Amino acid sequence: EFLYIELRRTTMAFEEITKPSVSDMKETPNLIDYQSTREDFDWYRDGFSGLDWLPDGGLNNAYEAVDRHVNNGKGKQKALIWIGKNGDEETYTYSQFKEESDKFGQVMKNLGMQRADRVFIFMDRIPELYFAAMGILKAGGVIAPLFSAFGPDPVRDRMEDAGASFLVTTPELKSKIDTMLPDIKTLQKVIVIDKSDSANIKTDEKTLLYKDLMKNVDATNFILEPTTQYDFSIMHYTSGSTGKPKGVLHRHQAVVQQWLTGKWALDLKEGDIYFCTADPGWVTGTSYGMMAPWTNCVTQIIYEGGFSAASWYEIIQKYGVTVWYTAPTAIRLLMRAGEAVVQRYDLSSLRFIGSVGEPLNPEAVVWGNKNYKMPIHDNWWQTETGAIMCANYATTNIRPGSMGKPFPGVTMGILDDQYNELGAGESGILAVRPGWPSQMFAYWQQDEMYNSRFKKGWYITGDQASIDEDGYFWFQGRADDVINTAGHLVGPFEVESALIEHKAVAEAGVIGKPDPIAMEVVKAFVTLNPDYEATDQLRRELIGFARDKLSAGVAPREIDFIDVMPKTRSGKIMRRLLKARELGLPEGDTSTLEDDG
Ligand code: PRX
């Protein structure tokens, strides 16, 4: 039924990594005994009650992340250390963080932002991004952060779909999307953050400068919007097999699980120096790049630059990073950079390493254990789940290649195609019992799609997995056509739609092609309109065209010209067949495939 490449082994290829007893550990972990905690777990006692809540009983995630520490006498602790691309450094305490975010909250209230208005944040990782995000949340708005590498098309699609009211961006990124901004009819104001003071930005009624707004605002009387746990807070777009990306809407309540998983699955403790390499344009960068660390009162390192083995190790050494959360593609790149590079740095401050977003191959876990003197802890979750659902914990033994065991309070199962539960050792649909605190509330204005994710009392994740005799979960692949390239989900439809806008292209079919580093890369097959010739020059032109429209990460890395696009009788492109051909696998029973549209 499912065409997936088996990247993971369901049986152990490497020996289990046993953890020392708690008394032999450098520090006592927060979650000491997984099994007994799980048996005795209660979301209200262990989760909801661990936060401060608002005086009137409401809940606001930014209040829990920032303000409450100031109220609890921890205002002088460092909340964030920012390292710019060019080596600039800025440090902010929780008090300063509160002040800056209060100011921006007041700015947004003055501009007329209403509760649940969608505010898009399209920018690189600079401190102002975080001040703005927390300010918007405190003022009752919904933040929708976008990856700064996106081109105009993905930005327009998402802002239009969400009915965006405001946009916070930087001069360079604004100029990238300027021509399409008038298309967003709901857009009221664009706030431009010019950190370097370099750009010459034309302000007008609609375009305002962050600096001016922040200078002139008086936030001494800022009143935090009395949100409840049911108010909307964050929206992230995620890709499916068909159609445009869907807006996954989360509520303030999600912070309960983000805080507790930060504490138990990443072992975050007050005073930790935490380094999360994810961008807030993706869910890891908000759940674990904002909410989990700051609700746990750690000092977060925010690095504006991208991947670089030397810079990352340098950061860990210089700032004494204790907890590091990253992704498999990065780990594979670190492996490629080699052991000699690791040895040049003192990484002894590290206490815990976590990984998420794509399968972490067992070799990487073992390599990490040798080179970092500790295993890498794989965990599993999704944009829709809002927080970690399944994890390897500080005290649990690791079976390399397994994503560990369900978080206390979370029930996961493996189902057959009739949604009945399977036993140990059988592969099937990975599903979760609904009702965890960070569960998505909706796909923005797509109720049917949302409802289709729930079957027979289960939430259907869209992944395939199995569970072993001892309760460890093993990821096997996705059950749909979504491509996971370097941990980022890419919907083939979005790429196909961009390609067919080129005058030479008649039809396009897009698949994920296995790749040793990025797990998959985007590959397109296209048929050409009459009068166009399949040349290398056209191939390069199409790749460039898609990069400008989408972004380098989403555009196809490879394009093949084909004469006939395989389609079902109802006209759907048969991506599975394209994939089977690419991999040299049997094409399967195409007569049934032709009917499945
Ligand atoms: O297919 C799974 C893969 O990434 C998907 C979720 O992607 P996204 O919604 O962008 O959320 C990313 C933040 C976690 C999953 O459905 N995935 C995620 N974690 C793992 C994984 N695949 C294998 N192993 C993992 N640990």
Side-chain angles (χ1 to χ4, degrees):
E1 248 310 293
F2 299 106
L3 182 76
Y4 61 79
I5 322 133
E6 206 177 337
L7 282 152
R8 313 274 293 255
R9 300 161 182 98
T10 44
T11 51
M12 278 206 287
F14 293 88
E15 252 175 69
E16 181 164 313
I17 299 174
T18 49
K19 294 288 180 65
S21 64
V22 170
S23 56
D24 290 337
M25 287 184 172
K26 215 154 122 183
E27 266 181 52
T28 307
N30 293 324
L31 181 67
I32 294 178
D33 184 346
Y34 168 80
Q35 200 52 38
S36 66
T37 304
R38 183 172 175 76
E39 279 157 24
D40 178 45
F41 184 79
D42 180 84
W43 273 119
Y44 295 95
R45 186 196 60 210
D46 302 318
F48 286 73
S49 310
L51 297 175
D52 283 9
W53 296 75
L54 298 176
D56 65 355
L59 187 67
N60 183 280
N61 57 4
Y63 176 88
E64 299 296 334
V66 183
D67 297 19
R68 73 159 169 155
H69 305 309
V70 179
N71 297 346
N72 295 338
K74 296 171 185 168
K76 291 212 174 89
Q77 296 199 24
K78 289 177 190 162
L80 77 97
I81 300 174
W82 175 73
I83 304 153
K85 272 187 217 151
N86 307 323
D88 306 344
E89 189 186 297
E90 292 175 16
T91 301
Y92 297 88
T93 62
Y94 277 97
S95 290
Q96 290 167 321
F97 198 3
K98 175 175 184 303
E99 206 177 303
E100 296 299 318
S101 51
D102 279 355
K103 271 161 63 180
F104 197 74
Q106 190 64 54
V107 162
M108 293 310 289
K109 286 200 166 187
N110 294 351
L111 290 176
M113 184 189 75
Q114 302 294 309
R115 219 189 252 212
D117 272 359
R118 274 78 60 213
V119 183
F120 277 70
I121 301 178
F122 181 49
M123 58 195 291
D124 282 320
R125 294 183 296 280
I126 57 174
E128 290 76 5
L129 183 164
Y130 300 88
F131 304 155
M134 292 296 165
I136 295 159
L137 291 164
K138 287 201 234 172
V142 173
I143 58 166
L146 294 179
F147 191 40
S148 63
F150 275 160
D153 282 14
V155 177
R156 182 209 288 114
D157 285 349
R158 288 158 177 77
M159 288 182 71
E160 261 185 345
D161 180 72
S165 309
F166 297 89
L167 170 67
V168 185
T169 186
T170 57
E172 308 76 54
L173 293 172
K174 181 172 177 295
S175 66
K176 186 158 83 168
I177 56 169
D178 252 340
T179 51
M180 72 78 184
L181 281 178
D183 296 349
I184 319 293
K185 303 291 178 231
T186 50
L187 190 62
Q188 296 168 27
K189 303 274 185 232
V190 179
I191 299 163
V192 183
I193 303 182
D194 183 14
K195 197 168 175 64
S196 63
D197 255 334
S198 57
N200 192 5
I201 303 139
K202 263 202 8 242
T203 53
D204 52 37
E205 219 172 278
K206 206 165 170 174
T207 314
L208 308 166
L209 273 183
Y210 176 88
K211 213 171 295 160
D212 297 344
L213 293 166
M214 291 291 269
K215 197 165 62 201
N216 301 328
V217 74
D218 175 7
T220 39
N221 294 320
F222 172 69
I223 298 172
L224 189 129
E225 186 72 11
T227 49
T228 73
Q229 59 182 320
Y230 304 117
D231 274 290
F232 304 149
S233 59
I234 301 183
M235 190 145 118
H236 279 289
Y237 275 81
T238 189
S239 300
S241 301
T242 54
K244 300 253 171 166
K246 312 169 285 278
V248 177
L249 188 60
H250 283 287
R251 303 182 294 180
H252 283 272
Q253 182 181 273
V255 73
V256 170
Q257 192 169 341
Q258 288 155 352
W259 164 71
L260 194 63
T261 51
K263 189 169 157 188
W264 287 357
L266 298 183
D267 198 37
L268 291 176
K269 294 176 186 161
E270 196 179 314
D272 261 329
I273 310 291
Y274 170 72
F275 182 29
C276 169
T277 58
D279 187 90
W282 313 97
V283 72
T284 311
T286 57
S287 294
Y288 295 92
M290 294 185 188
M291 295 306 159
W294 284 321
T295 50
N296 279 289
C297 201
V298 309
T299 301
Q300 181 165 216
I301 303 288
I302 290 166
Y303 177 49
E304 192 189 9
F307 174 84
S308 144
S311 326
W312 284 17
Y313 291 149
E314 175 84 39
I315 287 170
I316 294 170
Q317 172 176 281
K318 178 167 175 198
Y319 298 92
V321 170
T322 50
V323 179
W324 180 26
Y325 196 25
T326 189
T329 292
I331 294 165
R332 289 188 286 266
L333 287 169
L334 291 166
M335 287 170 76
R336 197 166 70 174
E339 304 192 349
V341 191
V342 184
Q343 279 148 17
R344 261 185 258 142
Y345 296 88
D346 175 6
L347 308 179
S348 59
S349 56
L350 284 170
R351 188 181 78 241
F352 189 90
I353 308 176
S355 163
V356 74
E358 21 158 354
L360 182 64
N361 38 320
E363 294 82 1
V365 179
V366 173
W367 188 88
N369 201 28
K370 172 166 180 251
N371 288 283
Y372 304 134
K373 318 272 183 311
M374 77 194 68
I376 297 166
H377 297 77
D378 185 19
N379 53 57
W380 177 95
W381 57 289
Q382 307 178 302
T383 307
E384 288 89 339
T385 71
I388 293 172
M389 303 296 276
C390 186
N392 288 288
Y393 307 88
T395 49
T396 48
N397 292 346
I398 292 187
R399 298 189 168 175
S402 156
M403 56 201 196
K405 295 185 179 183
F407 193 75
V410 171
T411 306
M412 297 175 47
I414 304 295
L415 314 182
D416 66 16
D417 55 9
Q418 298 302 308
Y419 310 109
N420 297 315
E421 210 168 346
L422 292 168
E426 292 181 279
S427 311
I429 298 165
L430 178 65
V432 187
R433 286 282 187 214
W436 67 95
S438 60
Q439 185 181 318
M440 69 165 161
F441 177 71
Y443 285 131
W444 182 256
Q445 293 181 340
Q446 298 226 35
D447 288 349
E448 212 175 303
M449 176 81 78
Y450 177 84
N451 291 336
S452 74
R453 298 298 295 265
F454 298 88
K455 308 273 186 201
K456 287 195 184 166
W458 291 96
Y459 161 73
I460 307 300
T461 65
D463 286 346
Q464 287 264 107
S466 68
I467 173 175
D468 69 21
E469 298 281 331
D470 302 303
Y472 284 84
F473 280 77
W474 299 77
F475 177 87
Q476 291 185 312
R478 287 193 61 98
D480 58 19
D481 294 338
V482 173
I483 300 157
N484 189 332
T485 178
H488 295 155
L489 299 189
V490 174
F493 180 77
E494 206 177 0
V495 184
E496 289 160 3
S497 309
L499 284 170
I500 57 174
E501 280 183 44
H502 190 282
K503 55 188 187 314
V505 177
E507 290 168 311
V510 167
I511 63 158
K513 179 183 169 178
D515 181 85
I517 297 286
M519 185 168 121
E520 290 183 310
V521 291
V522 178
K523 170 152 191 178
F525 296 83
V526 302
T527 58
L528 295 176
N529 282 319
D531 304 334
Y532 287 93
E533 241 180 274
T535 61
D536 272 345
Q537 196 198 333
L538 179 60
R539 181 178 287 121
R540 279 194 299 274
E541 185 181 321
L542 291 178
I543 292 178
F545 179 78
R547 283 180 168 221
D548 289 346
K549 280 190 152 309
L550 302 166
S551 79
V554 177
R557 186 90 66 89
E558 281 179 32
I559 295 185
D560 276 5
F561 296 113
I562 55 175
D563 293 333
V564 182
M565 186 63 65
K567 278 187 287 189
T568 61
R569 271 184 213 132
S570 60
K572 259 184 16 189
I573 290 167
M574 289 157 68
R575 299 187 189 114
R576 285 178 195 180
L577 193 72
L578 290 170
K579 189 154 180 171
R581 283 181 189 163
E582 173 70 28
L583 300 176
L585 297 175
E587 293 187 8
D589 184 355
T590 45
S591 64
T592 59
L593 270 172
E594 280 186 4
D595 278 326
D596 86 348

